[in-house]
Amino acid sequence: MDPRAQVSMVFHLDKCIGCHTCSVACKNIWTDREGAEYMWWNNVETKPGTGYPTRWEDQERYKGGFEQHGDELRLKLQGRMGALANLFFNPYLPTVDEYYEPFDYDYEKLFSAPEGDDQPAVRAKSMISGEYMEIEAGPNWDDDLGGSPVYAKNDPNLEHLTEEERRSLNEIERMVFFYLPRICNHCANPGCVAACPAGAIYKRGEDGIVLIGQDKCRAWRMCISGCPYKKPYFNWKTGKSEKCILCYPRLESGQPPACFHSCVGRIRYLGVLLYDADQIRSAAGAPNERLVDAQREMVLNPFDEQVVMRAKQNGISDDMIEAAQNSPVYKFFKQWKVALPLHPEFRTLPMLFYVPPLQPVQAAIHEVTGAYEIEGTGAAGMAPQFNLILEKARVPIRYLASLFAAGNETLIEDVLKKLVAVRMFKRWQTVVDLKHEEVEQALAYAGMTPEEAEAIFRLTSLPTYEERFVVPPLKREQSIESTRAPLTQKREAGFTRFPGSQKEPARGW
Ligand code: SF4
Ligand code: SF4
């Protein structure tokens, strides 16, 4: 066992209102400068939709992430040699058109236009050429229109749906969309790190944040191809790649990342996970249907004495261990199993997780529980009702399974059953239009206790800032100290590996 600490996030998608405040907060702090105009380290997409850059999920086009070849886990970009062969011409990089041509408006004209009969109007100007331009795309071009057939039909996840499911997504009165905020996933097996020929990218030992060393970057741009989420970006001004840094300077002073802090829907939860680096290889190489479970097994129980002892030996501080014990991410992902990684089949072990959206369901609950008598006793009696509720979910299970479970529909059903059961439980408590037996059976069928339902409700709906942000101020100086200490001193302190050495497992194969 080789415990490592990871600062990790959960996004509760039922709470996201698609306001883009997170994107703007991030943009203002980090990418409001020359060379970075087109970059959105945090972006919010409408799903179904094509996202930013367009169709980033299509790895036949972009060749991001890893794939299993027999016993070997290889970059889809064909390993180091394949990357080297494409150093001078990489056909898998997104083009400017696949991002968008960044633009601004000629606001000056509003003030300087001569007096006339018409209101002055502003025109868009390219931030690359400075010329006037017609806008044809943007980072959230299909915002709120994802559900319409014009945009949704190009979403790669729809390829897994039946013709009928695709049609029903666009039916009037059933048309549906939801928002998907995305930042770098600070993966445990990062494709960007493995693809970089210059060794410029590293995963910080003390908190798992993935960073690009600007002094080492040689502009090969293989990180952009290697990342299946397309989260490193090339800065044309500096000639270096850059990416989300999880606001580490803010975290080091006890502040949460800007996207988290500004989130209007309070959909974000930030906490610490302890995970076993010895399991990275097996978790990343697990069969598709086992990928999420294998990643859950990789996350260690922070209350286990053995885990705590080994974590301390690895130099993980007491306050990080305590944070892991109070982590909202641990609860959502490991304990309650209602959060899932985005596209686990890319095999980078993304360390940010999503609670999938339930969508309008209350009417379905009422319709179903009102129309059907409960058959049988115990949990089994609830099965037909729940199956009907899940069938009535507007976003097909298969679509969510493609996004969050490598196609494993059972995982999505298990999450949605829990979310439905929590709503039934609270409705029974507050509105009293459901029968006690119905709720009891619903909880049993979803495999949860009333206490768990209450805890999920509490952390979903009423969390305080302190419950959503459970990360101690990161102590960079201590980590640097520990790497500088003489070897004998480190041995005496019981270090087996040193903070900062976390590159090793990701690059080994
Ligand atoms: S999402 Fe993962 S692979 Fe992509 S840049 Fe972030 S750490 Fe690297
Ligand atoms: S600020 Fe929060 S609610 Fe608004 S789009 Fe971003 S994640 Fe969603």
Side-chain angles (χ1 to χ4, degrees):
M1 187 201 310
D2 186 5
R4 309 293 174 97
Q6 171 82 43
V7 176
S8 183
M9 198 184 276
V10 161
F11 302 78
H12 201 306
L13 293 188
D14 262 333
K15 297 171 75 180
C16 181
I17 57 173
C19 61
H20 301 270
T21 313
C22 47
S23 305
V24 174
C26 174
K27 184 89 187 149
N28 278 338
I29 294 185
W30 300 118
T31 57
D32 185 17
R33 55 197 155 83
E34 215 180 346
E37 297 89 346
Y38 77 101
M39 290 181 204
W40 293 86
W41 291 358
N42 182 111
N43 74 296
V44 182
E45 295 169 8
T46 302
K47 284 290 188 188
T50 54
Y52 156 84
T54 304
R55 286 177 62 84
W56 60 271
E57 292 153 292
D58 178 0
Q59 302 313 333
E60 289 314 303
R61 159 72 185 90
Y62 293 116
K63 303 279 183 228
F66 295 86
E67 57 192 1
Q68 191 78 25
H69 285 268
D71 288 344
E72 207 187 331
L73 192 62
R74 267 197 226 149
L75 274 176
K76 221 171 158 60
L77 206 54
Q78 294 165 336
R80 291 285 174 81
M81 289 319 291
L84 284 174
N86 285 328
L87 271 185
F88 299 104
F89 172 64
N90 180 351
Y92 310 123
L93 281 176
T95 61
V96 171
D97 288 343
E98 280 162 323
Y99 290 108
Y100 74 108
E101 184 169 348
F103 54 86
D104 202 350
Y105 289 97
D106 199 2
Y107 292 112
E108 179 61 30
K109 282 271 187 295
L110 289 178
F111 301 99
S112 60
E115 197 179 325
D117 294 335
D118 302 317
Q119 287 278 0
V122 289
R123 287 178 64 190
K125 253 186 178 175
S126 165
M127 292 175 88
I128 296 177
S129 66
E131 303 292 321
Y132 287 119
M133 62 178 276
E134 292 301 320
I135 303 170
E136 287 173 3
N140 53 331
W141 191 241
D142 55 1
D143 200 24
D144 295 354
L145 295 170
S148 82
V150 181
Y151 294 100
K153 73 171 186 216
N154 294 320
D155 182 330
N157 297 290
L158 296 183
E159 285 157 22
H160 304 117
L161 268 56
T162 63
E163 191 55 44
E164 197 191 329
E165 282 169 331
R166 271 198 291 267
R167 221 184 9 256
S168 78
L169 266 176
N170 299 320
E171 267 172 26
I172 302 289
E173 293 187 357
R174 273 185 69 88
M175 198 174 276
V176 70
F177 63 82
F178 62 94
Y179 302 107
L180 183 74
R182 294 203 302 121
I183 63 173
C184 163
N185 290 290
H186 299 278
C187 308
N189 180 38
C192 56
V193 173
C196 175
I201 315 184
Y202 59 102
K203 189 165 173 67
R204 284 208 320 190
E206 68 268 34
D207 50 30
I209 297 175
V210 175
L211 297 172
I212 302 179
Q214 295 290 291
D215 51 342
K216 279 193 169 179
C217 175
R218 294 287 173 268
W220 297 121
R221 285 173 270 181
M222 286 304 150
C223 52
I224 302 171
S225 296
C227 170
Y229 303 94
K230 291 292 158 278
K231 278 298 167 187
Y233 303 86
F234 184 67
N235 183 316
W236 58 266
K237 178 76 177 170
T238 62
K240 312 277 182 184
S241 289
E242 41 184 79
K243 61 179 279 303
C244 158
I245 56 175
L246 205 58
C247 285
Y248 75 82
R250 288 175 59 89
L251 283 170
E252 285 172 9
S253 60
Q255 301 286 315
C259 58
F260 174 103
H261 211 163
S262 63
C263 178
V264 174
R266 300 186 179 178
I267 81 157
R268 297 176 186 230
Y269 300 78
L270 205 75
V272 176
L273 290 180
L274 300 181
Y275 70 93
D276 182 6
D278 283 343
Q279 292 187 47
I280 290 177
R281 175 63 186 86
S282 56
N288 270 9
E289 63 282 3
R290 278 254 324 130
L291 271 168
V292 175
D293 287 339
Q295 192 172 352
R296 282 213 176 103
E297 285 157 20
M298 193 181 91
V299 172
L300 299 167
N301 177 356
F303 298 98
D304 185 309
E305 281 177 16
Q306 191 71 11
V307 170
V308 170
M309 187 190 78
R310 297 302 299 267
K312 287 185 178 176
Q313 284 175 351
N314 265 9
I316 299 174
S317 63
D318 287 348
D319 50 3
M320 282 295 257
I321 294 170
E322 195 186 328
Q325 291 171 341
N326 295 315
S327 169
V329 180
Y330 182 78
K331 288 178 188 148
F332 276 120
F333 178 59
K334 174 99 176 183
Q335 193 177 329
W336 301 330
K337 297 186 171 59
V338 292
L340 299 164
L342 180 62
H343 285 298
E345 74 279 13
F346 297 161
R347 299 180 184 277
T348 61
L349 302 178
M351 295 304 270
L352 272 50
F353 307 96
Y354 292 83
V355 178
L358 192 51
Q359 300 293 321
V361 78
Q362 202 56 57
I365 292 174
H366 202 63
E367 192 181 324
V368 169
T369 52
Y372 291 79
E373 285 302 308
I374 295 174
E375 294 161 16
T377 54
M382 207 60 201
Q385 279 84 347
F386 259 74
N387 291 340
L388 269 170
I389 291 169
L390 295 183
E391 258 174 43
K392 282 174 179 284
R394 288 201 204 161
V395 185
I397 304 285
R398 221 188 300 270
Y399 181 82
L400 294 176
S402 167
L403 264 181
F404 300 115
N408 185 341
E409 292 171 39
T410 311
L411 282 173
I412 300 290
E413 283 169 11
D414 288 348
V415 173
L416 296 188
K417 275 182 207 164
K418 283 199 166 188
L419 298 183
V420 171
V422 170
R423 289 194 189 198
M424 290 176 74
F425 174 68
K426 289 314 286 183
R427 192 168 177 94
W428 165 71
Q429 277 185 341
T430 53
V431 187
V432 206
D433 62 349
L434 291 171
K435 295 182 201 144
H436 180 258
E437 316 83 74
E438 282 174 335
V439 175
E440 219 172 33
Q441 293 188 10
L443 290 176
Y445 186 60
M448 63 200 308
T449 60
E451 291 74 28
E452 186 175 311
E454 185 64 40
I456 293 177
F457 164 76
R458 161 90 214 168
L459 200 56
T460 301
S461 306
L462 304 169
T464 59
Y465 172 81
E466 289 74 21
E467 284 168 320
R468 286 188 298 118
F469 176 58
V470 191
V471 179
L474 303 178
K475 300 184 183 72
R476 182 71 181 145
E477 64 289 351
Q478 275 185 11
S479 307
I480 294 170
E481 280 298 297
S482 66
T483 55
R484 284 194 186 136
L487 199 56
T488 43
Q489 210 175 309
K490 286 175 190 166
R491 287 208 181 107
E492 278 162 22
F495 286 118
T496 54
R497 291 210 180 141
F498 309 111
S501 67
Q502 204 164 346
K503 270 201 283 185
E504 202 181 300
R507 295 176 62 82
W509 17 269

